Every structure is written in structure tokens, then in C-alpha cells.
Amino acid sequence: MGARTAFRSVLPAIVLAFVSSSLVRAQLPPSLERCLPFPPPGDELGETKAESPERKIAFDAIRFENNSEVPNHVQRLLVRAVRSQSLEEYPGWTDELSEVPLRGALQQDGYFRAEVSAKARILHQDAEYEHVSLTIRVDPGAQYSLGSVRFRSIDPGAPLAFPVQQLRKLIPMRDREIFDVSKLREGFDALKTLYASSGWIDFTPSPGFDIDDAAKRINLTLEMDQEIQYRVGKIEILGDNRVVEKVLMSTFKAGEPFNANLLKQFYAENESILPGASAQYNASLEKDAKNGVVNLRFDFRTCPAIWE
């Protein structure tokens, strides 16, 4: 009877701790969640759940279903792409292999319209690996080079924010060079970085492809959805850290175009003076599209003394 009574007295305390954790967590700003003296129930239970490791895929053999139709250099390209992968066994892994590494490798080598599929036959299994024979079917199609590159504002009433010559330099493919989709993605990232540096933080480039099969060239048109240019609005800094506040106020000035890249740069260059682990949580941006401003809020408050 005593043991049963003790169990009943402990149970409400456990339930209260779980409920209190959820309620307190819900009322705290994200920057102070790290201060909780106890993990939330979901996190605590998740730590005790052991996951069984999946077997890795070992490619014991690689063959091509339509071997005679696939050029040797394309076969070598795809075999290298397969061998470079570190995959685990899960439903649909061959579809992902076909679409991402294999088709991706072909599109990096100018085979823009390539079609590829793969299927695997299990040879045997051991404790760590699932050994398979992989069969690939590929239709590489034509190999294309880059024709022309054009930039066009999606809004006829809004001219491009930067000179075309400056934009063109950010696409790392020369005219008549093998058309490489990965370089196009690099160019998109560079364009977004450029626009973000001057307040166009909602900028999106959309590619249009004009394929000339006779010349084996792809003419590229980039539709530039620039949206609006944001300027720095209010700057709110919580917490008593004069050094950090001085750096921030010299980095961001109200009324100037909002340079989103400076935020990442600020954290990289000032990690040593930021308070504890709060850096990854403490910045929040509030966009006011009507007035074209971004309000910045930084929360550098440290943990309350009762929790330290």
C-alpha cells in the first residue's frame, strides 16, 4: 500500500513538470528557450528513442541496359556519379539516384534533355551493406552549349536595378561553352546575393530556355522579378551589451538600403563578443512592404539568474 501511495504522489509531479515545460516554453521568446532548466517532453522522449541504422548500398556491378546506344564518355560519367554516392537503403532510393546524381551529372555536361532511370537487384546482404547490381537506362539526347544570355525585368515599368554587363558577369558560363545547369544555379545564387546587398531581398530570377536543336545551343532569358527595395527601418536591441550595440548601429543605419548580407557577416565577424548561444536565435526581421522598410530586432538578453 505504501508503494502504491508513493507512486500516486510522484505521478502528478511528473505530469506537472511536463505541462509546466510546455507552458513556459510557449511563453518564452525563441532566444530564451535555451535557458529552460529542462527539455520539453518531446525532446526528452526523443533522446531515448534508438533508431536502427539502415544498411548502406554497395554497388558490386553497374551495367547499361542500352549499352550500344550510350557513348563511352557518357557511361564513364555516370559510373563516376554512382561511385561517388554514399547511399542508405530506403524505399525509392533508385528514383532519387536517377533524378539527382545521374541526371544532374548529365545536365552538367550539356545533356540538358537527358532521361535516365535505374533499377537495382539485390545480390546479398551483410550487417552493414546491401550489395546490389545496378542497371541504368539512359537517353542522353543532344549535348548543348550556351547561346545568348538576356536579362529582362518582369515589370515593364521597372528597369533593371543593375547594368546588364554587371549581371552577365555573375553567370559563370561563357557564350558557346557547354551548357552546365550547376553553373546556372551558381549564377542564380550570385544574383540573389547582389540584389540582397541593396535591399531587394524578395528578388527572384526565373529562367526561360529557347532551345535551338539545329545549332545545339540554348539561348537563356532571365526574367528578373525584383519586387521592391527595402530600407532599414527601426532598430531594436534588447539586452545590455554596449559593444554589440555599437557594432550593430554602425553596421545598419535607418534609411539606408537594407543589406541582408551584412547580417551573416556580422555574426561571422563578431562571434567572440556575442552573448553565449543566443546568436543563432536573436535576430528577427519584420518586413513592411507598404512603406518599404525592414525593422530589425536583436535580442541579446542572457538567461535569468534563477535559471543560470
Side-chain angles (χ1 to χ4, degrees):
M1 187 68 172
R4 182 176 299 176
T5 303
F7 175 77
R8 287 176 178 171
S9 65
V10 169
L11 184 59
I14 296 175
V15 173
L16 180 60
F18 275 80
V19 172
S20 299
S21 171
S22 300
L23 290 176
V24 171
R25 189 181 182 89
Q27 295 174 21
L28 280 176
S31 61
L32 295 184
E33 286 184 4
R34 64 188 172 82
C35 298
L36 287 173
F38 39 73
D43 293 349
E44 191 172 63
L45 293 175
E47 292 176 358
T48 63
K49 182 180 178 180
E51 295 185 1
S52 57
E54 300 289 348
R55 287 190 180 92
K56 298 177 182 178
I57 301 296
F59 298 100
D60 287 10
I62 301 173
R63 59 180 293 270
F64 291 86
E65 184 177 308
N66 55 334
N67 183 69
S68 61
E69 303 171 15
V70 185
N72 289 335
H73 74 279
V74 171
Q75 293 189 29
R76 291 193 295 270
L77 178 69
L78 293 178
V79 169
R80 284 198 302 270
V82 171
R83 296 294 187 195
S84 68
Q85 301 303 304
S86 178
L87 300 175
E88 293 183 345
E89 190 280 326
Y90 62 90
W93 69 265
T94 53
D95 293 336
E96 183 174 331
L97 176 68
S98 302
E99 185 59 30
V100 183
L102 298 186
R103 189 162 180 262
L106 290 167
Q107 289 193 327
Q108 289 179 32
D109 200 40
Y111 296 99
F112 185 72
R113 287 173 161 169
E115 297 293 337
V116 60
S117 61
K119 54 186 177 182
R121 179 171 60 89
I122 299 174
L123 300 177
H124 61 91
Q125 297 176 335
D126 55 38
E128 189 175 358
Y129 289 97
E130 181 168 277
H131 297 260
V132 305
S133 173
L134 188 73
T135 300
I136 301 172
R137 181 173 182 82
V138 57
D139 177 11
Q143 187 180 40
Y144 294 92
S145 60
L146 176 64
S148 61
V149 181
R150 298 175 58 210
F151 298 87
R152 183 168 59 203
S153 173
I154 202 171
D155 181 359
L160 292 172
F162 300 94
V164 169
Q165 295 84 350
Q166 183 179 2
L167 299 175
R168 177 63 183 92
K169 290 178 181 179
L170 298 180
I171 306 298
M173 271 191 292
R174 299 186 302 272
D175 294 355
R176 300 192 179 185
E177 183 181 336
I178 291 295
F179 194 92
D180 184 342
V181 171
S182 69
K183 290 184 178 180
L184 186 57
R185 286 193 291 266
E186 288 178 27
F188 286 175
D189 290 341
L191 288 170
K192 290 177 181 178
T193 298
L194 173 64
Y195 269 83
S197 70
S198 295
W200 281 278
I201 56 179
D202 293 331
F203 162 76
T204 305
S206 299
F209 306 101
D210 177 19
I211 300 177
D212 184 343
D213 284 312
K216 302 294 188 292
R217 288 183 188 156
I218 298 177
N219 299 308
L220 178 66
T221 299
L222 292 180
E223 298 279 357
M224 313 288 275
D225 189 359
Q226 301 175 127
E227 294 288 346
I228 65 173
Q229 184 185 31
Y230 285 91
R231 296 184 176 273
V232 178
K234 300 175 183 177
I235 304 174
E236 183 181 10
I237 303 174
L238 303 179
D240 187 16
N241 191 316
R242 300 302 179 190
V243 176
V244 173
E245 183 175 346
K246 182 178 179 181
V247 174
L248 276 173
M249 296 307 290
S250 64
T251 302
F252 299 101
K253 293 183 173 60
E256 291 186 351
F258 172 60
N259 186 344
N261 304 323
L262 289 180
L263 199 57
K264 183 183 295 186
Q265 181 180 326
F266 164 75
Y267 287 124
E269 295 180 353
N270 298 282
E271 183 178 2
S272 62
I273 63 172
L274 294 175
S278 66
Q280 60 181 312
Y281 302 109
N282 60 26
S284 61
L285 311 179
E286 180 186 86
K287 290 192 296 185
D288 180 353
K290 181 179 179 180
N291 296 304
V293 298
V294 173
N295 298 314
L296 309 178
R297 187 174 189 269
F298 299 90
D299 190 346
F300 293 113
R301 290 175 292 179
T302 55
C303 297
I306 190 173
W307 288 343
E308 291 180 340

